[in-house]
Amino acid sequence: MTELIENFNNLVWWYKVLIILLCVCVVLGIIAWCNKEKVRLWWLGFWTSFPVFGTIASLYRSVSSTDKSSINGWLEQEQTLCAKFKPFYDENNTKDKDLFAKAKIYLERVEETGRSPFPKPMWIIVFLLVIAEALGFAYVLAGYTLPGASEALQQKGSYVIAFIVSIILVGFTHFAGHEIYVNSVRKKIITSFANSNDTDLSNKQTMPIDFKPEDDDKDAPRWQKIINRVNCPVDASRSWWVCIITAILIITFAVGAAYVRGQVLEKQLTQEISGLSTNAYETAPEELAQIQTEADNKAIIDQQSLDRKGGWATFIILSILFVFIQILGIIFGIKWGFAGEDSQKAYKTLNSPKQFISENEFVTYWDNQKKRIVNLAQEKLKILQQKIEKKHGKREWKKFTDYILEYAKNDLATEYNQEVKKSNHQEKIDNILNTKTHKPAQSTTQAQETLSATQAKEVAAQTTAIDNTEQIKALFGQIDDLLDSYEKDSSRRLKREIEEKLDELKNLGADSQKIANLEQEFEKIQGSKNA
């Protein structure tokens, strides 16, 4: 028997340990989910350098002495490694001062500046409130849901029922509050339209955060700016279906819970009467027994009347409390959340992973993030290149920034060529035929030839502009890296390379002020080395 009790205690101990580990895993999972981008980048860096089975180890083993460089001077293994880091770079590369300004404009025009998403801690608070209130009548319901079950099983059943009720009510009350807020925005649209001189409310144009300059609606009336960013019917009509369903659910649960509790109370009171002994005064005289029995019955009836009144008062108070908890959930739904289709995205742009006060702070933060990714990718790429070099000899190596530069150039050229192909050639032919210069009319064939030549010049000019811009960006990044290296190792080779890169920037017509800043930093490093 002692051994059995000891085994049972060990089982309980392991059960508690398992519960604790499960809770820890859940907490760690939530933390990882909230920081998923950082976790993904950390994991990529970790697995890339992992011995034997990691990315670098696998790519290094796949290189043979017969491997040739691709057209752009890259080995396939190098491109594979760079491609793994490129998505992280791209995610940060889009976050510039224009995006910051457009996110602010979006929230201002949809009139949701100052609003925020529903806070995650509030979900937990509301959920716990509803569970705490629902547990009371869930336990009562479990007796009818699991008739004949043991007390322990009914208790577990009550937890399940309370959990289900909580999920249903928390969801519906939140969406009901959100529906009320969205309807208030639609009312704002209708009111603003009624006070304007416009006659067509259906003139809706979907306006994302990153809108094109030609689609800017800064001069549009107030109602137009809002409706362009809100998902609603063309007439901005309001809908109350979620609120109606939520009201029915709340009333049903509140009344139903009070009724079931009342029935359980009546059942208990009835059992008290039926459990009384009718033979308590058998030995007493008949008249005395009758008087005593009537007195006892009156006392029981009075006591049951008090219990019944107190019980029903408690049930009513609990039902009112339950209703007010649901109203609180609806108020939370009204207070937090957005009506604009991209308002959540705009808010996240301005406030994630931290609240950005100014445009400069925003740009500086994401520039640093890009540098961190570039440095990490270059570090892993260099390790791979060094391993390949030891095995197959020296060759001309490229950097991760070169990969980004070439990829961007190819994307822009491809995009431009696709736009040219999609353009209306006949319209361009007509434009050429109807030029304001009084040249002899051209045939269609001649016009097409002229158009092809014009397109070729446009593509060439566009490609040249892309080349120069991207080359300048790459050169600035390369000079920054060289200056960092030169500060640690002031070799003549690095000095000559920096000077050549600066001259190349000047020849490409880069910003003279930025070049001057780099030259000043270069001279400062040289001065500190000479000193």
Side-chain angles (χ1 to χ4, degrees):
M1 186 67 181
T2 306
E3 185 179 353
L4 182 64
I5 294 173
E6 185 178 350
N7 291 335
F8 178 76
N9 290 334
N10 289 334
L11 185 64
V12 170
W13 185 84
W14 279 109
Y15 175 76
K16 291 179 179 179
V17 170
L18 183 63
I19 294 296
I20 293 172
L21 289 175
L22 183 62
C23 293
V24 170
C25 290
V26 169
V27 172
L28 291 176
I30 293 173
I31 294 173
W33 183 81
C34 294
N35 299 276
K36 53 183 177 293
E37 294 305 321
K38 292 181 180 179
V39 173
R40 281 176 56 217
L41 183 60
W42 173 84
W43 175 253
L44 177 61
F46 172 78
W47 183 249
T48 300
S49 300
F50 194 80
V52 184
F53 302 108
T55 305
I56 291 177
S58 301
L59 292 174
Y60 164 66
R61 287 196 301 268
S62 67
V63 179
S64 66
S65 58
T66 58
D67 282 343
K68 302 294 184 182
S69 299
S70 65
I71 296 174
N72 294 325
W74 291 94
L75 287 174
E76 182 182 350
Q77 290 78 4
E78 292 178 281
Q79 290 181 321
T80 301
L81 181 61
C82 290
K84 292 183 178 293
F85 287 91
K86 185 179 179 297
F88 293 93
Y89 180 86
D90 290 342
E91 287 175 10
N92 295 321
N93 197 37
T94 58
K95 295 171 182 176
D96 53 15
K97 61 181 181 180
D98 290 336
L99 181 64
F100 182 86
K102 286 180 178 179
K104 287 189 70 174
I105 290 171
Y106 190 95
L107 292 176
E108 287 170 0
R109 292 184 184 174
V110 77
E111 299 186 9
E112 290 189 318
T113 302
R115 289 188 67 87
S116 61
F118 195 86
K120 292 181 179 65
M122 291 304 300
W123 280 112
I124 300 173
I125 292 173
V126 173
F127 192 72
L128 291 177
L129 280 173
V130 176
I131 282 185
E133 206 287 327
L135 270 175
F137 68 84
Y139 182 71
V140 175
L141 290 175
Y144 292 97
T145 308
L146 304 170
S150 64
E151 183 77 12
L153 187 58
Q154 286 186 8
Q155 189 174 11
K156 292 177 182 177
S158 69
Y159 294 150
V160 175
I161 294 172
F163 183 75
I164 294 172
V165 170
S166 300
I167 289 179
I168 293 172
L169 289 176
V170 168
F172 270 98
T173 53
H174 173 74
F175 288 120
H178 183 69
E179 185 178 64
I180 293 171
Y181 168 67
V182 170
N183 284 334
S184 70
V185 173
R186 294 180 182 181
K187 182 180 179 181
K188 192 188 299 181
I189 294 171
I190 295 171
T191 304
S192 176
F193 175 78
N195 295 332
S196 67
N197 296 324
D198 299 309
T199 57
D200 186 11
L201 183 61
S202 63
N203 186 23
K204 174 178 168 58
Q205 176 187 1
T206 302
M207 189 67 63
I209 293 179
D210 194 16
F211 58 84
K212 297 179 180 178
E214 60 268 22
D215 296 332
D216 194 355
D217 58 353
K218 63 179 180 179
D219 297 325
R222 178 191 178 195
W223 67 268
Q224 184 74 61
K225 293 177 182 176
I226 300 175
I227 201 172
N228 285 348
R229 293 165 175 82
V230 175
N231 184 15
C232 66
V234 291
D235 59 350
S237 58
R238 288 171 283 179
S239 172
W240 300 97
W241 284 108
V242 179
C243 290
I244 293 171
I245 294 172
T246 304
I248 292 172
L249 283 173
I250 292 173
I251 294 171
T252 301
F253 277 114
V255 174
Y259 175 78
V260 172
R261 282 167 169 158
Q263 293 304 306
V264 172
L265 176 64
E266 293 295 332
K267 180 181 177 181
Q268 291 175 346
L269 295 176
T270 303
Q271 289 174 346
E272 287 179 3
I273 294 177
S274 62
L276 292 176
S277 174
T278 56
N279 299 320
Y281 306 105
E282 285 182 351
T283 58
E286 182 179 349
E287 185 176 349
L288 180 61
Q290 183 178 358
I291 294 172
Q292 192 62 42
T293 300
E294 289 176 356
D296 290 345
N297 289 338
K298 185 176 183 303
I300 292 172
I301 291 172
D302 291 341
Q303 181 181 349
Q304 286 188 332
S305 176
L306 293 174
D307 290 341
R308 184 177 287 107
K309 290 177 181 177
W312 276 105
T314 303
F315 301 154
I316 292 171
I317 291 172
L318 288 174
S319 294
I320 293 173
L321 178 63
F322 173 80
V323 171
F324 270 98
I325 290 175
Q326 310 316 309
I327 293 173
L328 187 64
I330 293 173
I331 292 172
F332 288 161
I334 297 172
K335 178 176 175 58
W336 286 293
F338 301 98
E341 293 183 82
D342 283 347
S343 294
Q344 178 93 9
K345 184 178 177 182
Y347 176 86
K348 189 176 179 181
T349 299
L350 300 175
N351 296 275
S352 180
K354 67 171 189 172
Q355 185 176 7
F356 297 102
I357 306 300
S358 66
E359 183 180 285
N360 289 335
E361 183 184 2
F362 179 82
V363 172
T364 301
Y365 177 86
W366 290 112
D367 280 348
N368 291 335
Q369 293 298 108
K370 280 193 293 185
K371 281 185 178 180
R372 187 166 68 91
I373 294 168
V374 169
N375 291 338
L376 179 61
Q378 180 57 36
E379 176 190 339
K380 305 303 179 184
L381 179 62
K382 191 173 182 180
I383 294 172
L384 175 63
Q385 291 169 343
Q386 287 173 347
K387 286 180 174 290
I388 296 173
E389 194 172 78
K390 285 181 181 179
K391 186 176 180 181
H392 301 289
K394 291 187 177 181
R395 64 186 297 274
E396 191 70 26
W397 298 112
K398 289 192 174 186
K399 295 184 176 182
F400 179 73
T401 50
D402 297 322
Y403 178 84
I404 294 296
L405 169 65
E406 292 171 12
Y407 206 103
K409 183 171 66 176
N410 292 336
D411 280 353
L412 289 171
T414 302
E415 183 181 348
Y416 180 77
N417 289 332
Q418 287 175 349
E419 289 179 359
V420 170
K421 288 179 182 179
K422 291 179 182 178
S423 63
N424 191 330
H425 285 218
Q426 188 59 46
E427 183 180 348
K428 290 191 175 184
I429 292 172
D430 293 338
N431 290 338
I432 293 172
L433 292 173
N434 298 318
T435 50
K436 294 183 179 180
T437 57
H438 301 288
K439 293 181 180 180
Q442 294 176 303
S443 66
T444 303
T445 304
Q446 291 173 328
Q448 287 176 338
E449 291 175 356
T450 306
L451 178 60
S452 299
T454 304
Q455 288 178 348
K457 291 179 181 178
E458 289 176 354
V459 172
Q462 181 73 9
T463 305
T464 302
I466 292 169
D467 287 345
N468 289 344
T469 303
E470 297 299 334
Q471 192 174 354
I472 288 170
K473 287 182 180 178
L475 283 170
F476 275 120
Q478 291 170 8
I479 292 173
D480 282 337
D481 293 340
L482 288 171
L483 287 173
D484 291 339
S485 301
Y486 186 70
E487 193 171 4
K488 300 173 185 176
D489 177 21
S490 55
S491 64
R492 291 183 180 179
R493 182 185 62 80
L494 286 174
K495 179 181 178 183
R496 185 173 63 255
E497 194 172 348
I498 292 171
E499 290 172 347
E500 289 174 356
K501 298 287 185 185
L502 288 171
D503 290 338
E504 194 174 347
L505 276 177
K506 293 175 183 177
N507 293 333
L508 290 172
D511 190 340
S512 58
Q513 183 60 46
K514 290 184 178 180
I515 295 175
N517 292 339
L518 288 174
E519 288 177 336
Q520 186 177 359
E521 185 178 351
F522 184 35
E523 291 172 0
K524 185 178 178 181
I525 294 173
Q526 286 180 306
S528 63
K529 293 291 182 181
N530 294 332

